[in-house]
Amino acid sequence: GKGTLTLSPYHSDRMLMSRVAVGGLLGVIVAFMDVNNLIIGKSHYLLYHLVSAIQPRMLVTFNEDLKPLPVPVRVGQAVDVVGQAGKPKTITGFQTHTTPVLLLTARELSWVQNEYTPLTPVMEGFVILRKNEDMEE
């Protein structure tokens, strides 16, 4: 493929760790300690434990009718803004793309326009957008 999936136990913008995904990764790591008998031998199905840690590395936006909605977003390096006064920028060195967008590990997203509001606070995977009522035509 195009690299649209990743193996990671972290989700929700790298704030939460899934214990099920960690268990799946550790199970496969332990199985690789005896690779000839387990993985190459009769227990090759142990590789299916990796599925619990597979996540999309992309952002795809949909409207409320679940139709694809291309929206411009900025993708850039995440900046730590904890303790800074005012409304500091959360990304630096950004490029503007139109969704769907492929994300890297330490990348952050921001919206170019406020025409749509997301129904989720986490900007990864599949996001449903609602038309912003406050937006003036």
Side-chain angles (χ1 to χ4, degrees):
K2 305 259 186 228
T4 58
L5 298 176
T6 185
L7 278 174
S8 176
Y10 295 104
H11 61 92
S12 297
D13 207 14
R14 297 176 306 280
M15 292 190 302
L16 300 174
M17 184 175 64
S18 169
R19 290 185 274 175
V20 174
V22 171
L25 290 172
L26 285 176
V28 173
I29 290 171
V30 170
F32 268 98
M33 289 183 180
D34 189 13
V35 71
N36 288 330
N37 290 328
L38 291 176
I39 302 299
I40 297 175
K42 295 185 178 187
S43 300
H44 55 83
Y45 55 84
L46 290 174
L47 291 175
Y48 284 118
H49 289 286
L50 290 175
V51 172
S52 62
I54 293 177
Q55 297 175 0
R57 279 189 351 161
M58 59 195 161
L59 172 71
V60 181
T61 53
F62 297 98
N63 62 10
E64 291 179 300
D65 298 326
L66 298 181
K67 304 260 192 273
L69 183 66
V71 176
V73 292
R74 291 188 184 114
V75 181
Q77 185 69 34
V79 176
D80 187 17
V81 293
V82 175
Q84 292 184 5
K87 288 178 63 178
K89 303 273 189 218
T90 58
I91 63 172
T92 184
F94 58 84
Q95 294 179 344
T96 303
H97 298 284
T98 303
T99 58
V101 175
L102 190 63
L103 299 175
L104 296 176
T105 306
R107 295 293 181 176
E108 190 75 25
L109 286 170
S110 69
W111 302 106
V112 174
Q113 305 164 347
N114 290 332
E115 185 178 353
Y116 294 96
T117 56
L119 299 182
T120 177
V122 178
M123 296 297 112
E124 61 186 27
F126 303 100
V127 177
I128 299 174
L129 300 175
R130 177 181 291 155
K131 188 86 166 161
N132 195 352
E133 310 298 334
D134 301 331
M135 186 75 175
E136 296 177 9
E137 295 287 326

